[in-house]
Amino acid sequence: MSDSVVTTTDDLDVRLEKHRVELTGYCYRMLGSSFEAEDAVQDTMVRAWRNYEKFEGRSSLRSWLYRIATNVCLDMLSAGNKRARPVDLSDCTPLAQAALSPRADNTWLEPMPDARVLPTVADPAEAAVAKESVRLAFMAALQQLPPKQRAVLILREVLAWRANEVAELLDTSVASVNSALQRARATLAERDDKAADAAVSDPLDEEQRKLLERYVAAFEGYDMAALTALLHEDAIMTMPPFDLWLTGHDDIAGFMTTIGSACEGSRLIPVQVNGLPGFAQYKPDPEAGGFSPWSVQILEISDGRLTGFHFFLDTKRWFPLFDLPLHLDAESDEIEEGA
């Protein structure tokens, strides 16, 4: 292979990689799965690389990649699976009836590190919209839309594409795009969301930072009185892959001191996840010593209180995704914040 061909190939790889984060964000919003999104982007990159000679340049490289990624996602969604949160699938469970019943992995909306889906942008308003569009409640709402409506809503409302650009990407008319957008908006407006994300400042304001500091102190100290004081009266707690979800001070604190009592003595490491504050939770490991991974937590905040905290427990999948170690030594003071 000649040097010139190698240079051309290398240049193409660099040009494609510049779009990886934003494409991952797009596929994640479409699919609701961290790993399926990354698989979809990798498939997109391979298809683009193999077919680059056919790219006629009538659109930008970015638009061409989005066309490929959309087709990949629509193919993956043809099975009809809609990922969800526990609150979308059942009523809340009273503590007295609490039981940990897991469902299959493909049931659940999955967490995603911000760094993998939110490209760096200079406009604070654009950055805020991007963060809001990967929060759990919005992601769950997207899953209720038919796949093409989902694509139209994301491209028009989140990525700010013009109607004619979306029409060209989807090989349809502007009228069809506008109609799909109107139906998608109506569906989202009708949702009675039992666990909607509230406004979180970007960056966090002083009140929110202090709330998180108090949360860490209460959780690591397993001080239920202090933790309860931080919770909204209708706060929600979920634990995928279990379909159980709890609401209210008493049931949440009661669960944590009974079924969840093994979390006492945990350590929390901050992470940026789904556009919200979160923590990697390590609980004491009585066999190996130190601390072992237990969950990735996502916190929702409103009016100075926690309105929701969600524990994603499949740590063998999530901790490598967040570039987090699978063990903390007992004497370890700190590790760097996760992705």
Side-chain angles (χ1 to χ4, degrees):
M1 183 178 292
S2 68
D3 289 343
S4 61
V5 173
V6 172
T7 300
T8 302
T9 301
D10 290 346
D11 287 346
L12 178 58
D13 287 343
V14 170
R15 292 181 68 196
L16 294 177
E17 283 300 317
K18 287 180 180 178
H19 299 282
R20 181 176 292 274
V21 173
E22 65 170 309
L23 287 172
T24 304
Y26 175 62
C27 293
Y28 176 59
R29 295 177 184 100
M30 286 289 291
L31 301 170
S33 165
S34 317
F35 296 102
E36 287 183 3
E38 295 200 330
D39 288 346
V41 172
Q42 190 57 33
D43 190 0
T44 297
M45 295 297 188
V46 170
R47 293 189 191 190
W49 199 91
R50 288 177 175 171
N51 293 285
Y52 185 70
E53 290 183 357
K54 301 176 184 177
F55 174 52
E56 298 176 353
R58 288 180 296 181
S59 63
S60 68
L61 176 63
R62 179 173 181 258
S63 297
W64 185 60
L65 289 172
Y66 269 92
R67 176 189 287 269
I68 298 172
T70 300
N71 290 332
V72 170
C73 289
L74 293 177
D75 287 344
M76 293 175 73
L77 289 167
S78 62
N81 182 56
K82 296 180 179 179
R83 291 178 177 267
R85 306 162 298 172
V87 297
D88 302 315
L89 301 180
S90 65
D91 293 329
C92 67
T93 307
L95 178 61
Q97 300 172 19
L100 299 180
S101 304
R103 297 201 190 191
D105 288 342
N106 66 0
T107 304
W108 303 116
L109 191 63
E110 297 179 346
M112 181 64 111
D114 286 0
R116 290 181 181 257
V117 293
L118 298 177
T120 302
V121 294
D123 183 353
E126 185 180 343
V129 168
K131 281 196 169 187
E132 290 169 5
S133 70
V134 294
R135 291 177 183 170
L136 295 176
F138 185 77
M139 290 286 298
L142 285 175
Q143 300 302 300
Q144 301 306 308
L145 299 175
K148 286 193 176 180
Q149 283 187 31
R150 199 180 308 176
V152 168
L153 184 82
I154 295 167
L155 290 166
R156 292 282 283 119
E157 302 273 283
V158 177
L159 301 177
W161 285 40
R162 294 190 295 272
N164 65 308
E165 293 173 327
V166 178
E168 182 178 354
L169 182 145
L170 294 176
D171 291 324
T172 188
S173 67
V174 170
S176 178
V177 166
N178 289 336
S179 176
L181 179 60
Q182 185 176 9
R183 293 196 302 273
R185 285 172 173 168
T187 299
L188 266 57
E190 290 172 358
R191 282 178 58 87
D192 179 19
D193 204 320
K194 291 174 284 189
D197 297 335
V200 178
S201 300
D202 182 26
L204 297 177
D205 61 32
E206 184 65 21
E207 180 184 17
Q208 291 167 347
R209 287 196 296 271
K210 289 181 178 178
L211 175 63
L212 293 179
E213 290 172 1
R214 293 196 296 271
Y215 172 76
V216 171
F219 196 97
E220 291 188 341
Y222 230 61
D223 183 340
M224 291 300 109
L227 183 61
T228 296
L230 304 177
L231 299 180
H232 189 277
E233 61 181 8
D234 296 324
I236 285 171
M237 176 180 175
T238 70
M239 293 159 285
F242 302 117
D243 56 15
L244 168 76
W245 64 279
L246 302 165
T247 186
H249 300 158
D250 294 342
D251 279 3
I252 291 174
F255 179 90
M256 293 182 71
T257 54
T258 54
I259 299 173
S261 61
C263 290
E264 184 170 0
S266 291
R267 291 190 57 194
L268 301 180
I269 304 299
V271 294
Q272 297 299 315
V273 51
N274 285 82
L276 290 163
F279 295 94
Q281 177 192 347
Y282 292 81
K283 71 174 186 177
D285 187 335
E287 296 182 1
F291 300 85
S292 59
W294 183 245
S295 74
V296 170
Q297 302 181 7
I298 300 179
L299 305 186
E300 296 163 347
I301 300 171
S302 178
D303 297 328
R305 292 287 184 271
L306 296 174
T307 57
F309 51 141
H310 309 284
F311 298 73
F312 291 86
L313 303 182
D314 191 354
T315 55
K316 289 183 179 179
R317 300 173 76 212
W318 306 134
F319 275 52
L321 184 71
F322 283 79
D323 297 322
L324 291 161
L326 294 178
H327 184 81
L328 288 184
D329 294 333
E331 63 274 13
S332 174
D333 293 328
E334 191 64 67
I335 65 171
E336 292 184 4
E337 181 175 325

